[in-house]
């Protein structure tokens, strides 16, 4: 159990059956009155941000959150993962993964977040190495101008790459910014 | 500080000093004090001593002092802060609203900034408008502070400077009940951009009434599992001997400076806020 005075940035609590992460917590107190904490909370399932003001002494349940590293196997109508220790498989719908689904490559280890044993989100590794499957032919020698062109990578995402990148090249991508980092040798 | 002092010098006030370390206090239900060795406390406000000076015959006094409140720490709170407090005999809260407005306007001018518009708004009117009820009709402390923080204070942010006045009798603190309407008291708070800057009253001068309110504050503290504080008997004696009709106000100096300069916390105007110690 947490109390109002425990509310701090990044604390995870459970409210009305949903997990919330505190994004902002501020002490407020009218001169002759009781203390409050004014907060902004993000619903960890829907992503919605709400504002709530709590009286001091209110109690909160800790959100039952657990992270597990799973390996991505393949996608059909949904996305299939496996626990490489127990070989248990897990199926996640595309809506839950959002844009991240376009960065899933075979055998990639990802971290899946569970709330009360129910999967609610996924965190990709910061960098992935992936092949370029589709792009305009490269301009040899042009490594300096900084111009970019669109490319589609093996996992399905469309990102901007430098002009010298060719189909079949392997590149390193930052999954947070969805940006090209560098070409890698394979 | 210079602007504040010249404002009061020009208005015929005398600057005085009273101790920060005191053996007894005027307990408030929701203010926790900082204790020191030897049974002494650090003051939450210089109010009892300043009123004793009025009872001794002073007419217009002010001081800039340090006040201490345990556990108060946030963008607009620091456990130690600078308080400006002034008292005037023969005055009522209405006079002090005028004086506070004059001072705040002067402070804006001192830093070359345009002062906001000033407005006056009764508590009942503000709550009817933004929270849908009149606290003076059906007093409910829990609901009052909840709605104040959730609805009324945020609604006042765009209004500039607002004197919220005529608090319900249940939130009278050390203020006089209005003779023509016992459901409210002669108390106001000045808000600038939704931030509480000052709190003023026509002072309660009835010693028996004062004692019962202080005892009630201690009882409320006990109900909330907070320690009771020793009541300042010498202050009550001064009231019994006769405190002339007067009005007084306390203004948070760190806050008014931060608000005028457009900062969003008092830490921005303190050399050593708690977080830097």
């Amino acid at each position: 159990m947490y109390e109002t005075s425990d509310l701090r940035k990044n604390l995870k609590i459970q409210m009305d059956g949903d997990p919330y992460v505190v994004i902002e917590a501020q002490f407020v107190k009218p001169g002759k009155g009781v203390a409050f904490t004014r907060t902004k909370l993000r619903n960890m399932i829907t992503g919605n941000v709400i504002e709530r003001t709590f009286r001091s002494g209110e109690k909160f349940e800790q959100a039952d959150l657990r992270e597990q590293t799973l390996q991505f196997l393949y996608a059909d109508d949904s996305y299939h993962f496996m626990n490489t220790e127990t070989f248990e498989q897990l199926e996640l719908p595309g809506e839950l993964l959002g844009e991240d689904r376009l960065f899933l490559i075979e055998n990639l280890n990802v971290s899946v977040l569970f709330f009360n044993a129910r999967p609610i989100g996924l965190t990709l590794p910061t960098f992935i190495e992936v092949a370029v499957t589709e792009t305009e032919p490269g301009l040899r020698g042009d490594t300096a101008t900084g111009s970019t062109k669109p490319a589609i990578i093996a996992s399905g995402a469309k990102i901007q790459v430098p002009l010298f990148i060719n189909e079949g090249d392997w590149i390193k991508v930052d999954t947070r910014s969805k940006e090209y980092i560098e070409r890698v040798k394979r | 500080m210079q602007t504040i002092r010249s404002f009061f010098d020009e208005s015929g006030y005398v600057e005085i000093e009273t101790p920060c370390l005191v053996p007894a206090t005027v307990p408030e239900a929701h203010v926790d004090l900082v204790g020191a060795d030897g049974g002494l406390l650090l003051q939450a406000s210089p109010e009892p001593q300043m009123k004793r000076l009025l009872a001794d015959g002073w007419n217009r006094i002010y001081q800039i002092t340090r006040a201490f409140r345990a556990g108060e720490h946030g963008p607009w709170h620091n456990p130690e802060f600078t308080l400006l407090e002034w008292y005037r005999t023969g005055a009522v809260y209405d006079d002090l609203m005028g004086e506070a407005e004059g001072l705040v306007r002067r402070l804006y001018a001192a830093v070359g900034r345009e002062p906001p518009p000033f407005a006056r708004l009764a508590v009942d009117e503000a709550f009817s408008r933004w929270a849908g009820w009149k606290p003076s009709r059906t007093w409910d402390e829990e609901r009052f502070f909840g709605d104040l923080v959730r609805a009324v204070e945020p609604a006042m942010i765009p209004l500039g400077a607002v004197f919220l006045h005529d608090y319900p009798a249940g939130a009278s603190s050390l203020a006089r009940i209005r003779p023509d309407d016992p459901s409210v008291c002669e108390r106001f708070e000045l808000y600038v951009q939704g931030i509480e800057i000052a709190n003023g009253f026509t002072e309660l001068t009835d010693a028996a009434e004062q004692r019962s309110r202080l005892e009630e504050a201690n009882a409320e503290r006990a109900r909330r599992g907070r320690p009771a504080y020793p009541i300042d008997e010498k202050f009550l004696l001064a009231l019994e001997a006769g405190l002339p009709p007067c009005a007084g106000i306390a203004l948070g100096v760190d806050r008014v400076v931060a608000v005028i300069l457009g900062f969003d916390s008092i830490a921005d105007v303190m050399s050593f806020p708690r977080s830097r110690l």
Side-chain angles (χ1 to χ4, degrees):
Chain A
M1 279 296 226
Y2 292 120
E3 271 214 17
T4 307
S5 56
D6 298 321
L7 294 175
R8 301 260 182 291
K9 204 175 162 173
N10 292 328
L11 187 80
K12 287 152 186 108
I13 58 169
Q14 181 175 326
M15 232 172 45
D16 314 322
D18 277 356
Y20 286 87
V21 58
V22 178
I23 358 185
E24 223 179 274
Q26 195 184 90
F27 176 86
V28 284
K29 183 177 183 298
K32 305 286 175 196
V34 292
F36 292 84
T37 300
R38 191 175 272 154
T39 62
K40 276 190 188 161
L41 305 165
R42 183 187 293 116
N43 184 313
M44 296 177 72
I45 295 176
T46 64
N48 291 340
V49 174
I50 57 169
E51 286 188 28
R52 284 282 184 91
T53 300
F54 301 104
R55 188 178 295 278
S56 66
E58 283 191 60
K59 302 230 183 330
F60 305 90
E61 267 180 76
Q62 200 168 337
D64 176 15
L65 294 163
R66 215 159 32 86
E67 270 191 317
Q68 208 175 62
T69 302
L70 299 177
Q71 193 176 66
F72 176 62
L73 298 177
Y74 64 95
D76 42 33
D77 294 341
S78 57
Y79 292 75
H80 299 260
F81 298 85
M82 183 177 67
N83 181 325
T84 51
E85 279 160 30
T86 63
F87 303 106
E88 252 177 275
Q89 290 203 13
L90 177 75
E91 210 178 299
L92 297 179
E95 310 86 75
L96 188 71
L97 308 181
E99 286 253 296
D100 285 347
R101 72 186 194 285
L102 301 174
F103 292 86
L104 288 171
I105 45 180
E106 230 171 273
N107 299 331
L108 185 72
N109 284 326
V110 300
S111 167
V112 176
L113 183 66
F114 294 85
F115 170 61
N116 292 336
R118 165 182 156 209
I120 59 165
L122 158 151
T123 312
L124 296 168
T126 311
F127 301 106
I128 58 168
E129 290 183 2
V130 61
V132 173
T133 51
E134 224 182 294
T135 190
E136 299 275 307
L139 288 171
R140 204 165 290 279
D142 184 4
T143 56
T145 59
S147 304
T148 61
K149 59 179 181 176
I152 295 175
I153 56 177
S155 56
K158 192 179 197 179
I159 64 167
Q160 291 292 317
V161 298
L163 297 180
F164 61 83
I165 295 293
N166 282 308
E167 282 180 14
D169 283 351
W170 281 73
I171 59 171
K172 188 170 172 182
V173 176
D174 186 326
T175 59
R176 297 163 303 183
S177 59
K178 324 283 189 222
E179 275 172 4
Y180 166 91
I181 301 293
E182 61 189 3
R183 181 160 55 175
V184 291
K185 292 262 184 290
R186 275 278 175 149
Chain B
M1 291 298 169
Q2 260 178 13
T3 309
I4 293 173
R5 291 202 162 93
S6 58
F7 177 85
F8 286 104
D9 292 347
E10 288 162 27
S11 318
Y13 280 81
V14 176
E15 182 170 9
I16 55 103
E17 278 186 347
T18 59
C20 288
L21 269 176
V22 292
T25 184
V26 287
E28 288 192 46
H30 309 296
V31 173
D32 290 340
L33 301 183
V34 180
D37 278 350
L40 293 173
L41 298 162
L42 286 168
Q43 65 175 354
S45 135
E47 187 158 0
Q49 286 73 32
M50 289 186 80
K51 286 185 184 164
R52 284 173 67 187
L53 289 177
L54 297 181
D56 287 348
W58 291 86
N59 288 316
R60 291 182 176 217
I61 50 174
Y62 80 99
Q63 78 170 316
I64 299 165
T65 187
R66 290 301 187 135
F68 305 84
R69 295 182 186 181
E72 302 196 359
H73 187 219
W76 298 100
H77 291 84
N78 198 65
E80 174 176 356
F81 60 101
T82 304
L83 200 60
L84 162 66
E85 209 155 310
W86 74 95
Y87 290 84
R88 200 170 124 191
T89 55
V92 292
Y93 70 145
D94 198 55
D95 302 315
L96 290 191
M97 283 193 255
E99 249 173 14
E101 177 174 339
L103 172 65
V104 172
R105 282 184 183 282
R106 183 85 79 88
L107 290 170
Y108 270 93
V111 296
R113 296 195 181 221
E114 192 65 28
F118 279 77
R120 294 188 184 191
L121 187 60
V123 168
D124 271 354
E125 204 184 315
F127 275 70
S128 317
R129 201 182 290 177
W130 296 308
W133 64 298
K134 289 189 173 180
S136 76
R137 298 294 141 80
T138 41
W139 175 240
D140 177 341
E141 191 189 76
E142 296 279 305
R143 190 176 170 201
F144 178 77
F145 286 117
D147 284 346
L148 178 67
V149 167
R150 293 187 181 96
V152 176
E153 288 185 354
M156 289 192 293
I157 294 172
L159 301 184
V162 180
F163 285 102
L164 205 55
H165 62 85
D166 289 13
Y167 274 65
S172 57
S173 188
L174 309 186
R176 181 175 83 174
I177 299 298
R178 238 175 86 164
D180 59 335
D181 180 359
S183 71
V184 296
C185 63
E186 300 189 352
R187 173 182 166 202
F188 68 86
E189 295 239 11
L190 169 61
Y191 282 84
V192 181
Q193 289 157 26
I195 305 296
E196 182 189 339
I197 296 295
N199 176 43
F201 321 131
T202 308
E203 301 293 344
L204 177 66
T205 53
D206 179 329
E209 167 75 16
Q210 181 71 80
R211 178 184 293 280
S212 87
R213 285 196 207 172
L214 297 182
E215 282 168 357
E216 173 49 31
N218 261 340
E220 176 63 23
R221 294 186 61 77
R223 282 193 288 276
R224 291 174 178 267
R226 313 300 306 168
Y229 293 122
I231 291 177
D232 189 337
E233 293 294 338
K234 290 185 176 157
F235 162 64
L236 289 174
L237 271 177
L239 254 59
E240 274 165 31
L243 176 65
C246 60
I249 170 171
L251 180 147
V253 177
D254 315 277
R255 284 194 190 171
V256 79
V257 173
V259 167
I260 288 174
L261 295 177
F263 291 116
D264 47 23
S265 84
I266 53 172
D268 293 315
V269 299
M270 298 178 121
S271 49
F272 288 94
R274 182 77 185 82
S275 54
R276 260 197 86 194
L277 288 175

